[in-house]
Amino acid sequence: MWRLKVADGGNDPYIYSTNNFVGRQTWEFDPDYGTSEERAEIEAARENFWKNRYQVPASSDLLWRMQFLREKNFKQTVARVKVGDDEKIQKETAIIAMRRGVHFFSALQASDGHWPAENAGPLFFLPPLVFCLYIAGHLDTIFPGEFRKEILRYLYCHQNEDGGWGLHMEGHSIMFCTTLNYICMRVLGEGCDGGKDSACARGRKWIRDRGGVTFIPSWGKTWLSILGLFDWSGCNPMPPEFWFFPSFLPLHPGKLWSYIRVVYMPMSYLYGKRFVGPITPLILELREELFLQPYSEISWKKVRHLCAKEDLYYSHPLIQDLIWDSLYICTEPLLTRWPFKKLRQKALEVTMKHIHYEDENSRYITVGCVEKVLCMLACWVEDPNGVYFKKHLARIPDFIWVGEDGIKMQSFGSQVWDTSFALQALLACNMNAEIGAILKKGHEFIKESQVKDNPFGNFKSMYRHISKGSWTFSDQDHGWQVSDCTAEGLKCCLLFSMMPPEIVGVKMEPERLFDSVNILLSLQSKNGGLAAWEPAGALKWLEMLNPVEFVGDVVIEHETVECTSSAIQALVLFKKLYPEHRKREIDNFIKNATKYIEDVQMPDGSWYGSWGVCFTYASWFALAGLAAAGKTYHNCLAIRRGVKFLLNLQTDDGGWGESYLSCPNEKYMPLEGNRSNLVQTGWALMGLISSGQAERNPTPLHKAVKLLINSQMEDGDFPQQEVTGVFKKNCMLHYADYRNIFPLWALAEYVRWVPMP
């Protein structure tokens, strides 16, 4: 049976940590673990997911929850409550529902103080990891029998009814993910017509019915070339000489969004080497299965710009194709011949230096899972028996997650992000005396997870920003500063600093709080907004050069409402406690950030969400940020318009429900059938409460809370519904803890601020 382990470094000599692995979450399979009844319970959860996979594609993340609740002997002792159709909510009823939620969610805290959770959903994360291990000859050791079984389960569970796989678990089928997942099944041992419900045959038919894999987008072409299923001459050039570019040029590595920068480092290395993995009998079979014409007869130069219509979210403009063609026709032939070949070799060495720098600074976690696999493969290509590759292998468990739908690959974990929200939700419940031990452990986790140092060496020459005082999205070892994670972590520490230390532990030292403030101040743009990882400021037209067909806004950093609001809220609270620290800078920051939120409001009164679905999510952040800055419904037009937007979208059952399609379409779209989503209902409810809705007309709030109370499950949990996270406009991300955090937090704010009989 599977078991989640927390803050465990294992026995691998090639792994190391900056804080004794606090926040690390890894899975192990123990054939002797668990009783027959417990195993039957897990099998029932798997079967239930399979039966309902098209209705609710996101897993309820049940395996670790069952484990934790069992280990803690959890039993819900607070009786369930309901509110009748014509019944008014009594304060006691709302408090009981809140207490039930607190009781349940507290039992899910890990021993090191964080709340574990799945953070996955995109269906292109996992297959490249399998490919890399297959090429390197480590597939059997890293993924033995039970791992393969669960990986295949995941692929089967998320195959669409038409036989393909979507970009994410709720998406329509696309060539990129269908091809990757088909090859993954074959690599894991399925025959060409094998798999559950003929998964391979159905997947292959989907691919061939749409012209074969020559229509796969650019990242797919890269992975197929690495596998030996495509020719590198069928890819647009990715010259490693790019890492030589001087900083005065508009297109320079330091001006790129951090993720895209670290993706194309190893991609350009592998391209520059024209690396191809072993041509095994399976690869030869796949060459026949995936193309409509004989592999030897394909004109590779003619397929470089092909992309299936199902995959195309961002279409390359003519200027981009002209640049690719110029590099392909003029530059690449020179750089692969003497004497220019020496320049290529030097570029490969410089690129590898950057890869090693990123690996070391993240303890071989890298900035994310896409980058992880590419950097790991580049290290293997450089030296198959080298220490760098072995250090990468040691960190693979950090990315593996097991649910009732099988094994998936995490983005890189959301431990800090989820826990900072979880703690704020619990603090809002005002049950400190009862849950003091929970709060204290959570406080310790947040303190232990703060990044203590900047990247080592001359980090600016390696295109890195300061990180000392920040919080990452996942854990301290990850090392990458994130603005909103830093703001939410800072808020938690400030809130705990105002509480008795005998309940919540020793408060964080002021100097460390000052370091966090310094990070936030350093990330503000001229327009007042904040981007997530590094300061924005590169030329906007560079987005025309976006090479990734299936997502948007990936070339440079962009400011977001959510990051800006989190920073406002944190600095307003900080200012109350430390009024003289960098007073003028903080005052100007808050003023400019507030103006940014007002300036980017949409004509309908909403705000576009970059990290959650979508206008509901961002409107909660925007309203909370404006309120923290001292704006009110009466003195701020933006708040009045934002409130009107939310109120106009409340559903008949009292909730809010927004489709993920709002994100790619950049236009509000309700869920099918105008149904509600409890997480989004929590966001809207908190946004309205922060704007003073309880004083104007509490009826919409009562209706929303009635839905939350009546939706709560017998054990105090809330049901899993639609995916509510997103990144880069078109790809959804499943935050499995959101279904507990935000309904509970909204209930707490309701109990605190809304008058009830």
Side-chain angles (χ1 to χ4, degrees):
M1 206 162 81
W2 292 95
R3 177 165 51 196
L4 180 65
K5 299 168 69 176
V6 171
D8 188 330
N11 299 314
D12 196 311
Y14 293 100
I15 194 170
Y16 59 100
S17 173
T18 56
N19 68 344
N20 202 27
F21 300 102
V22 170
R24 191 177 193 228
Q25 37 190 31
T26 56
W27 288 86
E28 69 171 7
F29 181 78
D30 183 349
D32 300 320
Y33 176 62
T35 66
S36 57
E37 291 81 6
E38 290 163 357
R39 295 178 188 183
E41 187 181 14
I42 288 173
E43 286 305 319
R46 289 167 172 161
E47 184 62 27
N48 185 63
F49 182 88
W50 176 259
K51 289 178 180 177
N52 297 286
R53 66 193 186 281
Y54 297 132
Q55 289 73 44
V56 185
S59 92
S60 296
D61 213 12
L62 292 178
L63 267 63
W64 76 269
R65 288 171 173 241
M66 289 176 175
Q67 173 192 332
F68 275 34
L69 296 176
R70 186 170 58 246
E71 290 173 350
K72 297 180 182 182
N73 296 313
F74 171 78
K75 287 182 175 55
Q76 181 59 264
T77 58
V78 184
R80 188 177 185 182
V81 289
K82 289 274 192 177
V83 182
D85 291 341
D86 300 320
E87 184 183 354
K88 289 186 177 180
I89 300 176
Q90 302 293 312
K91 187 165 188 175
E92 182 182 359
T93 303
I95 290 174
I96 289 172
M98 180 186 75
R99 290 175 59 82
R100 296 178 77 249
V102 169
H103 191 200
F104 177 83
F105 193 49
S106 296
L108 296 179
Q109 187 182 37
S111 57
D112 66 356
H114 87 278
W115 273 263
E118 174 183 336
N119 188 249
L123 298 178
F124 61 92
F125 283 0
L126 181 59
L129 176 59
V130 173
F131 302 161
C132 176
L133 295 173
Y134 175 71
I135 290 167
H138 288 265
L139 186 59
D140 292 338
T141 54
I142 301 298
F143 289 147
E146 286 295 329
F147 282 83
R148 292 188 181 212
K149 177 181 174 182
E150 293 304 317
I151 292 172
L152 286 169
R153 185 194 307 277
Y154 185 71
L155 303 187
Y156 302 150
C157 280
H158 295 288
Q159 186 175 26
N160 288 335
E161 291 181 271
D162 64 4
W165 282 264
L167 184 62
H168 52 88
M169 59 178 64
E170 291 188 2
H172 67 270
S173 298
I174 64 170
M175 184 66 73
F176 180 44
C177 290
T178 301
T179 301
L180 294 190
N181 284 283
Y182 175 80
I183 296 171
C184 188
M185 289 191 297
R186 297 285 279 115
V187 168
L188 291 173
E190 295 289 12
C192 62
D193 294 321
K196 188 167 185 175
D197 288 356
S198 303
C200 288
R202 291 165 57 224
R204 184 174 65 256
K205 183 178 187 302
W206 192 98
I207 294 167
R208 295 178 67 87
D209 284 351
R210 287 155 183 82
V213 296
T214 52
F215 286 90
I216 199 169
S218 58
W219 283 14
K221 288 178 168 67
T222 297
W223 271 110
L224 293 185
S225 298
I226 290 167
L227 284 165
L229 295 172
F230 218 79
D231 195 279
W232 280 110
S233 62
C235 298
N236 284 322
M238 294 175 281
E241 289 76 17
F242 176 63
W243 308 102
F244 283 153
F245 276 27
S247 60
F248 64 79
L249 291 177
L251 186 60
H252 173 264
K255 296 174 183 176
L256 299 182
W257 176 44
S258 55
Y259 272 60
I260 213 72
R261 184 169 71 234
V262 184
V263 164
Y264 279 96
M265 277 179 190
M267 272 193 182
S268 67
Y269 179 82
L270 296 165
Y271 173 84
K273 298 278 284 188
R274 298 299 197 275
F275 170 76
V276 178
I279 305 302
T280 64
L282 174 61
I283 296 300
L284 296 176
E285 290 176 23
L286 288 167
R287 285 181 177 181
E288 295 183 9
E289 295 167 18
L290 295 171
F291 297 91
L292 300 191
Q293 61 192 110
Y295 188 82
S296 60
E297 297 177 12
I298 297 171
S299 176
W300 296 107
K301 65 181 180 181
K302 292 182 179 179
V303 305
R304 284 187 301 117
H305 297 312
L306 294 183
C307 181
K309 67 180 188 301
E310 292 86 355
D311 296 58
L312 197 59
Y313 177 69
Y314 179 78
S315 182
H316 293 175
L318 178 61
I319 183 66
Q320 186 181 148
D321 285 341
L322 288 173
I323 292 172
W324 293 128
D325 290 346
S326 298
L327 290 170
Y328 187 86
I329 295 168
C330 304
T331 308
E332 276 303 307
L334 284 175
L335 290 170
T336 53
R337 290 175 173 81
W338 190 89
F340 300 102
K341 203 171 183 179
K342 292 184 177 181
L343 181 63
R344 172 57 53 91
Q345 185 56 43
K346 179 63 177 176
L348 290 170
E349 293 171 5
V350 170
T351 304
M352 207 66 220
K353 179 182 176 183
H354 279 281
I355 292 170
H356 290 321
Y357 184 84
E358 293 299 338
D359 288 346
E360 287 288 333
N361 268 294
S362 65
R363 275 52 63 182
Y364 289 80
I365 298 171
T366 76
V367 71
C369 65
V370 174
E371 298 81 355
K372 163 71 178 178
V373 176
L374 288 163
C375 289
M376 180 165 63
L377 181 59
C379 288
W380 183 82
V381 171
E382 182 191 39
D383 183 358
N385 298 309
V387 171
Y388 296 126
F389 178 66
K390 291 175 181 176
K391 288 181 178 180
H392 264 297
L393 288 177
R395 280 292 188 174
I396 288 175
D398 295 64
F399 288 87
I400 300 304
W401 196 259
V402 188
E404 65 270 26
D405 57 340
I407 281 181
K408 68 281 307 255
M409 191 175 189
Q410 299 266 65
S411 63
F412 53 97
S414 53
Q415 298 95 301
V416 166
W417 181 247
D418 289 338
T419 300
S420 63
F421 279 144
L423 290 171
Q424 291 178 70
L426 292 173
L427 286 170
C429 294
N430 196 26
M431 294 171 54
N432 303 339
E434 296 178 53
I435 59 171
I438 301 295
L439 297 175
K440 186 174 185 178
K441 278 203 302 183
H443 185 198
E444 289 302 315
F445 169 77
I446 293 292
K447 289 190 295 182
E448 286 293 319
S449 299
Q450 188 188 31
V451 177
K452 306 297 195 303
D453 299 294
N454 291 322
F456 65 78
N458 185 7
F459 57 88
K460 291 185 178 180
S461 70
M462 306 304 280
Y463 322 127
R464 289 293 297 269
H465 189 62
I466 59 172
S467 58
K468 184 180 181 182
S470 69
W471 276 270
T472 74
F473 192 61
S474 54
D475 58 20
Q476 189 187 94
D477 281 342
H478 182 260
W480 272 88
Q481 71 287 341
V482 188
S483 63
D484 51 358
C485 298
T486 299
E488 300 300 337
L490 177 59
K491 280 166 63 180
C492 286
C493 290
L494 293 170
L495 290 169
F496 282 123
S497 75
M498 297 185 286
M499 299 174 65
E502 59 270 19
I503 295 178
V504 299
V506 179
K507 67 181 181 180
M508 179 177 274
E509 300 88 338
E511 291 75 17
R512 290 173 61 186
L513 300 175
F514 299 161
D515 288 338
S516 300
V517 170
N518 186 55
I519 285 280
L520 295 178
L521 294 178
S522 76
L523 290 170
Q524 189 172 41
S525 301
K526 291 180 180 178
N527 64 7
L530 271 79
W533 286 271
E534 296 170 331
L539 297 169
K540 303 293 185 186
W541 62 261
L542 289 172
E543 283 297 346
M544 288 196 302
L545 305 181
N546 174 13
V548 190
E549 298 88 343
F550 52 82
V551 285
D553 282 357
V554 299
V555 176
I556 62 173
E557 281 275 13
H558 293 271
E559 301 86 359
T560 72
V561 169
E562 302 99 299
C563 294
T564 307
S565 169
S566 286
I568 290 174
Q569 295 174 59
L571 290 178
V572 167
L573 182 56
F574 175 85
K575 184 181 170 185
K576 291 177 181 176
L577 299 177
Y578 299 90
E580 298 306 316
H581 183 79
R582 302 179 71 169
K583 183 178 187 302
R584 180 178 297 178
E585 292 173 81
I586 290 173
D587 286 343
N588 287 335
F589 181 104
I590 294 169
K591 177 183 175 182
N592 294 332
T594 302
K595 186 177 185 300
Y596 168 82
I597 291 178
E598 293 175 325
D599 288 345
V600 299
Q601 190 175 30
M602 307 288 283
D604 64 359
S606 68
W607 287 267
Y608 181 80
S610 298
W611 308 112
V613 178
C614 170
F615 297 97
T616 313
Y617 183 69
S619 294
W620 163 49
F621 270 99
L623 291 172
L626 292 172
K631 300 289 185 177
T632 70
Y633 184 86
H634 302 290
N635 68 18
C636 179
L637 176 61
I639 287 182
R640 293 196 294 275
R641 295 175 63 224
V643 167
K644 182 180 179 182
F645 168 78
L646 288 177
L647 291 177
N648 285 342
L649 294 171
Q650 190 170 25
T651 57
D652 291 341
D653 64 5
W656 280 262
E658 184 176 2
S659 168
Y660 80 85
L661 293 171
S662 294
C663 302
N665 295 337
E666 299 184 45
K667 176 183 177 183
Y668 183 88
M669 300 189 71
L671 286 171
E672 187 177 349
N674 283 319
R675 65 183 184 273
S676 293
N677 178 285
L678 299 177
V679 172
Q680 293 168 345
T681 298
W683 293 338
L685 189 58
M686 289 192 288
L688 290 172
I689 290 173
S690 70
S691 73
Q693 184 66 33
E695 301 166 6
R696 294 186 300 274
N697 176 16
T699 300
L701 309 179
H702 295 321
K703 290 175 62 180
V705 168
K706 181 182 289 190
L707 175 67
L708 294 181
I709 292 173
N710 290 343
S711 300
Q712 194 174 36
M713 298 165 67
E714 193 65 43
D715 58 3
D717 197 359
F718 289 90
Q720 179 60 53
Q721 298 174 302
E722 296 81 10
V723 171
T724 51
V726 67
F727 66 92
K728 295 304 165 186
K729 295 183 179 292
N730 196 38
C731 198
M732 303 304 116
L733 200 57
H734 178 32
Y735 292 81
D737 277 348
Y738 275 16
R739 78 170 190 267
N740 298 104
I741 294 170
F742 292 109
L744 176 59
W745 195 351
L747 276 170
E749 296 294 339
Y750 176 82
V751 168
R752 181 181 180 187
W753 296 108
V754 181
M756 289 171 282

